[in-house]
Amino acid sequence: MTNSALSLDRVQQLHPLQFLSPSAHQQLLAAAEQVKVSKGSIILKKRNTLPTTCYLISGQVELRHSFDDRKPLHANDQLACQPLEELVREGASVRALEECVLLRFERDLIAYLSTLTSDSDTYAVVNIEEGVDYLDDTLIDDDYQEDWTLQLLDSPLARNLKPVALHRLMALLERLPVKRGEQLIQMGSHADYFYILISGEAALSTELHGPFRGQTIELHEGSHFGEEALLGETLRNATVTMTSDGMVGRLNREQFLEVFADSLMPVLSEAEFLRRLNQLEGPCTLLDVRFREELRNDTRKQVLNIPISRLRSALPQLDRSTTYLLSAQGDQRSELATCILRQHGFNAYLQATPVDSQKQSA
C-alpha cells in the first residue's frame, strides 16, 4: 500500500485531523508514513511514548489491558478514527491480530499545522452587487446534518477544552446504539453517566416545579445532558427519552472529571485563593452555595450566599465584571456551581480542599 492509495477522505475522517484546514490535509497526506505490520506483532508496548501519532488503516488489532481484558479493533470500526495511543490506558498494549497497515504522522507536524489557518481554505470572496441573489438553491443539501463534534465544541460545556482533553473525551467516550422510546435518564434516579447525543433525537422532560417549569426540550445531534446531577451527586431532575433511533456516547463521573475538570472547575491553591480574595488580581466575590442554615456559625465577612438550587435563577443578577471564588466547604455543590457559572460566561474558580493542596504540594 502506497501513499497514493491513501485517500484524502480517509485522512479527513481521522481525529483530530478533521479540524485542520484542507491545505493541512494535503500536507499530512504527503508526509504520511504507511507501515505494514505482520500478524502477532506488538504495535504499542506498555507505557510506550512515541514521537508519532498512529492510526489503524486496514486489518484488526487487539487492545490488551491485561490477560482477561482484551478488546478487538477493526480498521472499519468507528473507534479506528482515533489514534491508537488514545484508545489504551497507561500500561496497555496493542497487538496485530492479522496483517495490518498503520498510518503514522509526526506529532510536531500535526501541532504545527493546527496553528495555521489559510483564508482561502475557509472563505469564498465575492464582490456583492446590489439586487443580485447569490444564494444558489442547487448548493443546498436538505439532508445535511452537522457533525455532532462540531455542535458539541460550539457549546459552553466544551468551548474551552484543550486539545489533549478533547482527545481524552473521544478515547473514553462509550458509544451505545439506542432505540426510539428508550429512556436514557429517569427523573428521580441516581446519576451515573454524562451523555452526548451522537445521532438521532430525544426529548428532555423537566420537573414541574423546577427551574424549567415542566418544559419539554428537544435534543438533537451534539446535545449533551446529565452533567449537573453527576457532579452534584444528586437525583436526576429530568427524564430523557429517545424520539428516534440513534446513538449516544457516555462518560462516568471519574471520566467526566478527567476530561472537563480543568476547563469547567479550575482549582486555586490556598495561597492563590487568598491572593485573589484580597483583590490583588482584580475584583472578586466569595460565593458559598450551601443552604443558609449551614452558614449559621460562619464567621467570614462579605460572603455571598446563593443556595445551589437557586443559582440558575440568580444568574441575571450576578456581576460579570467580578471573579467568583467558590468556597471549598460547599463540596460537590461548589464544583457544580463553578461548572454552571463558567458555562454561562462567568469567571469562577474553586478553592482547593486539603486533599487538593496536598496533591499540589507533592
Side-chain angles (χ1 to χ4, degrees):
M1 188 174 182
T2 63
N3 279 17
S4 59
L6 179 65
S7 70
L8 183 60
D9 287 342
R10 179 58 174 160
V11 173
Q12 291 171 337
Q13 292 171 0
L14 302 177
H15 184 83
L17 309 185
Q18 75 264 39
F19 299 115
L20 300 181
S21 67
S23 61
H25 290 149
Q26 293 285 1
Q27 293 182 60
L28 282 172
L29 186 62
E33 177 189 7
Q34 295 184 54
V35 180
K36 187 175 292 186
V37 179
S38 59
K39 179 180 178 180
S41 299
I42 300 297
I43 298 171
L44 287 176
K45 296 181 180 180
K46 293 185 176 183
R47 297 177 176 84
N48 191 205
T49 302
L50 299 174
T52 57
T53 292
C54 185
Y55 298 88
L56 179 65
I57 299 301
S58 70
Q60 188 176 34
V61 299
E62 178 184 70
L63 310 179
R64 178 183 292 190
H65 305 290
S66 66
F67 182 81
D68 297 318
D69 185 5
R70 311 180 187 191
K71 295 180 181 178
L73 176 70
H74 194 276
N76 293 330
D77 294 342
Q78 186 177 9
L79 280 179
C81 291
Q82 308 295 325
L84 286 178
E85 59 269 24
E86 296 292 343
L87 297 178
V88 293
R89 299 189 299 269
E90 184 179 355
S93 60
V94 181
R95 183 176 68 91
L97 293 178
E98 59 188 34
E99 186 177 276
C100 300
V101 175
L102 307 177
L103 184 64
R104 289 178 179 169
F105 299 101
E106 293 291 333
R107 290 181 184 273
D108 290 345
L109 176 61
I110 296 176
Y112 169 72
L113 292 175
S114 66
T115 65
L116 302 180
T117 301
S118 171
D119 290 343
S120 61
D121 292 333
T122 311
Y123 303 100
V125 180
V126 180
N127 292 321
I128 303 298
E129 296 180 11
E130 187 176 356
V132 178
D133 185 2
Y134 287 93
L135 184 61
D136 186 350
D137 290 340
T138 63
L139 299 179
I140 299 176
D141 182 0
D142 293 331
D143 296 324
Y144 172 77
Q145 288 187 330
E146 191 171 11
D147 187 344
W148 68 270
T149 58
L150 299 182
Q151 293 278 16
L152 177 67
L153 291 174
D154 194 42
S155 70
L157 178 76
R159 192 171 295 154
N160 296 317
L161 274 185
K162 296 180 179 179
V164 65
L166 182 59
H167 294 173
R168 289 304 293 157
L169 169 63
M170 297 304 177
L172 293 172
L173 200 64
E174 180 185 5
R175 291 166 170 81
L176 300 171
V178 286
K179 296 292 185 181
R180 179 180 180 181
E182 184 174 340
Q183 274 194 357
L184 303 176
I185 284 178
Q186 186 174 10
M187 191 181 302
S189 63
H190 289 280
D192 47 5
Y193 291 102
F194 157 76
Y195 291 90
I196 300 172
L197 190 56
I198 294 177
S199 65
E201 297 181 341
L204 186 149
S205 304
T206 62
E207 283 184 312
L208 182 60
H209 302 293
F212 295 99
R213 306 292 183 184
Q215 181 182 359
T216 297
I217 301 171
E218 293 183 359
L219 302 178
H220 304 282
E221 187 175 301
S223 297
H224 61 83
F225 49 93
E227 69 273 15
E228 292 191 11
L230 192 67
L231 287 175
E233 296 186 340
T234 58
L235 298 180
R236 301 288 194 187
N237 61 3
T239 296
V240 177
T241 306
M242 292 298 299
T243 55
S244 72
D245 292 349
M247 178 175 289
V248 297
R250 68 182 188 181
L251 300 174
N252 61 32
R253 190 175 194 274
E254 181 181 348
Q255 293 168 332
F256 180 86
L257 291 175
E258 179 181 344
V259 173
F260 291 101
D262 286 345
S263 61
L264 292 180
M265 294 166 288
V267 177
L268 294 180
S269 66
E270 188 65 27
E272 180 62 20
F273 192 87
L274 291 175
R275 177 180 172 83
R276 289 178 180 260
L277 196 58
N278 291 326
Q279 313 293 321
L280 297 179
E281 298 288 342
C284 291
T285 299
L286 180 60
L287 177 61
D288 197 309
V289 292
R290 293 177 293 170
F291 292 110
R292 189 175 300 277
E293 293 77 10
E294 297 177 83
L295 275 68
R296 285 178 178 174
N297 299 321
D298 198 312
T299 58
R300 295 172 301 174
K301 297 180 180 179
Q302 296 181 333
V303 178
L304 176 62
N305 176 225
I306 305 176
I308 187 65
S309 59
R310 299 180 182 176
L311 181 59
R312 281 191 178 277
S313 59
L315 290 176
Q317 284 75 50
L318 295 183
D319 184 0
R320 292 188 177 274
S321 65
T322 189
T323 295
Y324 289 93
L325 304 177
L326 277 295
S327 168
Q329 289 93 327
D331 48 65
Q332 289 93 343
R333 288 172 289 181
S334 288
E335 292 182 355
L336 176 56
T338 307
C339 179
I340 292 174
L341 287 169
R342 293 184 75 87
Q343 285 193 70
H344 284 82
F346 292 92
N347 205 16
Y349 294 91
L350 273 170
Q351 179 184 19
T353 64
V355 174
D356 292 329
S357 298
Q358 290 175 6
K359 289 181 179 179
Q360 290 174 352
S361 298

